[in-house]
Amino acid sequence: MQPKNTKAEGKAAKAYAKASRPWFKKKRWWLAGGVLILIIAIAAGGSGGGDDDNTANDDNGSSSTENSTPDAEAPSEGDEPEPEPEPEPEPEPEPEPELTASQENAIEAAENYLSFAGFSKKGLIRQLSSPAGDNYPKADAVFAVNQLDVDWREEAVESAEQYLEFTSFSRDGLIQQLTSSAGDMYTLAEAEYAADKVGL
């Protein structure tokens, strides 16, 4: 029976010695530590790779966004605004012609005639250029009358009223007097307008 007890005591002593060893000498600690370090390394490597992937994705995403933005904003050929037409330059005002003394005097004479009597355009030119009138050159008389702002129909009415002040006229007689080359030389339309205005 002694050999068995010796074997059992030896096993018990071995187990006691194992259990009483310091913690850093135990194999299980090194194994657990190694596994822990391995897990940390894998986790660190995985997260780093993920960041790189995310960064690459971000870069790719930003670059694709940047590349796509100009295409989206770039107007198509059909949307290009038409160039505005250049404004036409305003024509320069023509310089006023310098009047001769004869032309200035003819204008003044024409205005004086119209201030006290009715005249047709042709009648006023005749009065200004006639030797029995003012005897201006015909060109100056025409020039002077053309410078005036005159309603020749109203002049015909004035002439008709002056005729009717000292004598009687029929409608046809008045129109004939107003249009006659020996009379006032109004146009037929002006004479008929005057006859209507004076009630004939």
Side-chain angles (χ1 to χ4, degrees):
M1 295 295 293
Q2 279 184 352
K4 282 186 182 177
N5 288 338
T6 306
K7 252 182 186 180
E9 286 174 6
K11 276 184 181 180
K14 214 174 195 184
Y16 176 77
K18 218 181 215 184
S20 59
R21 276 188 301 182
W23 63 268
F24 53 85
K25 287 189 177 181
K26 292 181 180 178
K27 286 183 182 179
R28 286 182 183 175
W29 182 88
W30 288 107
L31 183 62
V35 170
L36 183 62
I37 290 170
L38 184 63
I39 290 171
I40 291 171
I42 289 170
S47 65
D51 290 342
D52 291 342
D53 291 344
N54 291 339
T55 306
N57 288 339
D58 290 344
D59 291 342
N60 290 337
S62 63
S63 63
S64 64
T65 305
E66 289 172 3
N67 291 338
S68 63
T69 301
D71 293 340
E73 293 178 356
S76 63
E77 290 181 3
D79 295 337
E80 289 182 4
E82 295 181 1
E84 294 183 4
E86 294 182 3
E88 295 181 3
E90 295 182 4
E92 294 182 3
E94 296 181 3
E96 294 183 3
E98 293 184 7
L99 304 180
T100 64
S102 177
Q103 289 171 335
E104 288 181 355
N105 291 336
I107 291 171
E108 188 176 348
E111 290 172 341
N112 288 336
Y113 280 122
L114 291 172
S115 66
F116 67 85
F119 278 89
S120 68
K121 185 174 184 178
K122 288 182 178 179
L124 186 55
I125 290 172
R126 180 179 62 184
Q127 180 65 29
L128 292 172
S129 60
S130 168
D134 294 89
N135 205 22
Y136 285 104
K138 179 77 175 283
D140 290 346
V142 171
F143 176 83
V145 172
N146 286 335
Q147 302 307 303
L148 304 177
D149 183 15
V150 181
D151 185 345
W152 299 110
R153 294 191 309 170
E154 292 302 322
E155 290 297 314
V157 172
E158 187 175 347
S159 294
E161 289 172 345
Q162 288 170 346
Y163 279 123
L164 292 173
E165 280 179 8
F166 64 87
T167 188
S168 298
F169 278 92
S170 66
R171 177 181 175 85
D172 289 343
L174 181 61
I175 290 173
Q176 184 179 5
Q177 179 64 32
L178 292 172
T179 58
S180 169
S181 58
D184 295 272
M185 301 178 72
Y186 286 103
T187 66
L188 180 59
E190 290 165 353
E192 289 176 344
Y193 175 85
D196 291 340
K197 284 294 186 180
V198 296
L200 293 178

